[in-house]
């Protein structure tokens, strides 16, 4: 089937291709419940060599900047306690780490999580981390602009492949908190 966004001709319902997803993403799709049905999560095969946003949109079209999101993992620290959180913002934005994220987590200091922590704890590949299938103890902060987008392309848990799902589905993910202003204009 043709994907609802982008130039992808071979989109597959994610429940039909669980073997192409990392174990935590496949488990999340298998257990999916809520108003957006699991078969509305689509998988598209993409070249892992162009997984990074700038190169990806150069290849697949700049319109995807408005129809895609990035998921970055941050570590908030207060005293001896470290809190991991995934932040989802539109690809043309950057995460307001020192404002919205720090305030929401109640942390004194927030930084991007070490790659080894982000990938090791999530079971996903660097450059492909997705909010679908995150560890249960992580916070999930989603920019309201992502939820308001009809269809959103995001990582699949691997550098190869992306998933496309309705923006409103991000609000139904476990631990999701939708925040205005989480994404700032990229500089």
């Amino acid at each position: 089937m043709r994907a609802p966004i982008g130039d992808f001709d071979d989109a597959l319902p994610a429940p039909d291709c669980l073997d192409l997803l990392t174990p935590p993403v496949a488990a999340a799709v298998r257990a999916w419940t809520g108003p957006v049905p699991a078969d509305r999560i689509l998988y598209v095969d993409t070249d892992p060599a162009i997984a990074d946003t700038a190169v990806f949109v150069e290849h697949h079209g700049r319109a995807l900047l408005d129809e895609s999101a990035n998921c970055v993992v941050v570590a908030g620290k207060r005293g001896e306690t470290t809190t991991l959180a995934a932040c989802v913002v539109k690809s043309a934005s950057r995460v307001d780490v020192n404002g919205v994220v720090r305030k929401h987590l109640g942390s004194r200091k927030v930084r991007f999580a070490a790659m080894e922590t982000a990938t090791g704890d999530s079971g996903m590949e660097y450059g492909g981390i997705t909010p679908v299938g995150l560890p249960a103890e992580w916070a999930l902060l989603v920019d309201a602009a992502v939820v308001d987008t009809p269809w959103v392309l995001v990582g699949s848990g691997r550098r190869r492949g992306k998933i496309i799902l309705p923006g409103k589905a991000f609000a139904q993910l476990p631990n999701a908190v939708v925040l205005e202003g989480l994404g700032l204009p990229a500089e």
Side-chain angles (χ1 to χ4, degrees), residues 1 12-16 29 32 36-43 151 164-166:
M1 94 172 74
L12 301 169
D16 296 347
V29 170
W32 190 269
V36 175
D39 64 1
R40 302 269 312 219
I41 306 168
L42 304 175
Y43 174 84
W151 289 94
I164 299 171
L165 62 162

Side-chain angles (χ1 to χ4, degrees), residues 83-175:
T83 303
L84 293 175
C87 302
V88 181
V89 298
K90 292 185 89 168
S91 293
S93 302
R94 61 185 175 84
V95 177
D96 184 5
V97 174
N98 293 313
V100 173
V101 174
R102 188 173 62 79
K103 181 179 177 183
H104 183 79
L105 295 179
S107 300
R108 294 187 48 82
K109 184 175 182 178
V110 177
R111 59 179 165 69
F112 292 102
M115 181 175 66
E116 298 79 25
T117 301
T119 58
D121 289 8
S122 71
M124 300 180 201
E125 294 177 5
Y126 183 74
I129 294 177
T130 183
V132 178
L134 291 171
E137 62 274 8
W138 287 14
L140 173 58
L141 311 181
V142 182
D143 188 75
V146 172
V147 175
D148 292 340
T149 303
W151 289 94
V152 179
L153 178 131
V154 70
S156 68
R158 291 197 160 104
R159 286 186 65 82
R160 167 166 228 110
K162 302 284 186 186
I163 56 176
I164 299 171
L165 62 162
K168 63 184 175 183
F170 289 86
Q172 78 182 52
L173 290 167
N175 303 329

Side-chain angles (χ1 to χ4, degrees), residues 76-83 108:
K77 191 161 176 123
R78 184 172 195 87
E80 297 301 312
T81 304
T82 299
T83 303
R108 294 187 48 82

